[in-house]
Amino acid sequence: MVEWIHSAQPVPYETALAAMEARVAEIAAGRADEAIWLLEHPPLYTAGTSADPADLVDPDRFPVFRAGRGGQYTYHGPGQRVAYVMLDLNARGRDVRRFVCALEDWVIATLAEFNVVGERRAGRVGVWIARPDKPPLPDGTPREDKIAAIGVKLRRWISFHGISINVEPDLAHFDGIVPCGITGHGVTSLVDLGLPVTMADVDVALKSAFPRIFA
């Protein structure tokens, strides 16, 4: 059984981290079911274990938290659907690479509900949108924008953290960091792509796609 938890109001990052820690301990002890927690955060930056301090362009713009997850700098804020994924990989196969790919597949299947083609890229964790409508990079590389970030941590093979999908965040808030350490390419959202999608719409799509990916 996977319990779906939904928070209607933005959750402070420290509160969410403490709640995830407690739930993962309960799952590991066999006292709680796996869980997916859907929430938003107030505006903030998180630094993963591979974060380069030089990528924090504007350190005074929003609070910065050490996340303990994999990855680099990420923005979270209103209009972005965060899904914290607390799953037991002891029962789902102890394969971190496969798990991250499954999270990407989940995002891609969710975006497909809105006829958006999300793609993965070698060496770039997350989900990307091709932007032929925008000029290529100076070296001629076709432009791509990131629409979803992924970062995970495991304890006793129980997962922490998860995914974030840009629904309608203030994209200017990403300017305070080099998102995931990647320069040149930008960020986008479902609304930025011209789709009148709500957070509730995305939640329905996430729940619909989940059992197709995580049997």
Side-chain angles (χ1 to χ4, degrees):
M1 292 290 293
V2 177
E3 179 184 3
W4 288 82
I5 304 166
H6 179 265
S7 293
Q9 300 299 320
V11 179
Y13 189 76
E14 309 98 309
T15 302
L17 194 60
M20 273 195 291
E21 295 264 359
R23 182 61 177 251
V24 165
E26 290 293 294
I27 295 170
R31 294 190 293 263
D33 291 329
E34 297 175 307
I36 307 294
W37 186 8
L38 304 177
L39 69 152
E40 296 172 78
H41 284 304
L44 59 93
Y45 298 128
T46 66
T49 53
S50 302
D52 182 345
D55 289 341
L56 184 57
V57 179
D58 188 355
D60 298 322
R61 188 167 190 173
F62 298 124
V64 181
F65 297 93
R66 293 285 166 185
R69 55 157 175 79
Q72 302 186 46
Y73 282 104
T74 300
Y75 167 76
H76 292 312
Q80 182 187 72
R81 172 50 81 221
V82 174
Y84 285 138
V85 180
M86 290 159 277
L87 298 179
D88 185 357
L89 270 63
N90 291 291
R92 295 175 176 273
R94 294 184 175 187
D95 188 328
V96 178
R97 186 183 299 274
R98 188 175 71 180
F99 179 59
V100 171
C101 285
L103 292 174
E104 291 175 334
D105 287 340
W106 185 28
V107 173
I108 290 168
T110 298
L111 296 175
E113 296 286 327
F114 307 105
N115 295 315
V116 173
V117 179
E119 301 175 328
R120 58 165 55 92
R121 289 290 181 265
R124 288 193 253 147
V125 174
V127 177
W128 297 80
I129 305 294
R131 299 303 302 267
D133 55 313
K134 293 187 175 183
L137 300 184
D139 65 357
T141 302
R143 172 68 179 269
E144 298 171 346
D145 287 346
K146 193 169 192 177
I147 196 167
I150 295 173
V152 297
K153 176 182 178 180
L154 300 176
R155 179 172 299 159
R156 296 173 61 183
W157 290 100
I158 312 297
S159 65
F160 283 67
H161 302 282
I163 67 173
S164 59
I165 300 175
N166 297 330
V167 182
E168 192 178 7
D170 185 339
L171 295 179
H173 288 178
F174 287 88
D175 294 344
I177 57 172
V178 178
C180 301
I182 297 167
T183 58
H185 297 293
V187 291
T188 189
S189 69
L190 288 166
V191 170
D192 180 55
L193 293 171
L195 300 169
V197 177
T198 67
M199 200 69 72
D201 295 332
V202 172
D203 290 349
V204 170
L206 283 166
K207 291 179 180 179
S208 173
F210 183 84
R212 303 200 300 269
I213 307 301
F214 297 93

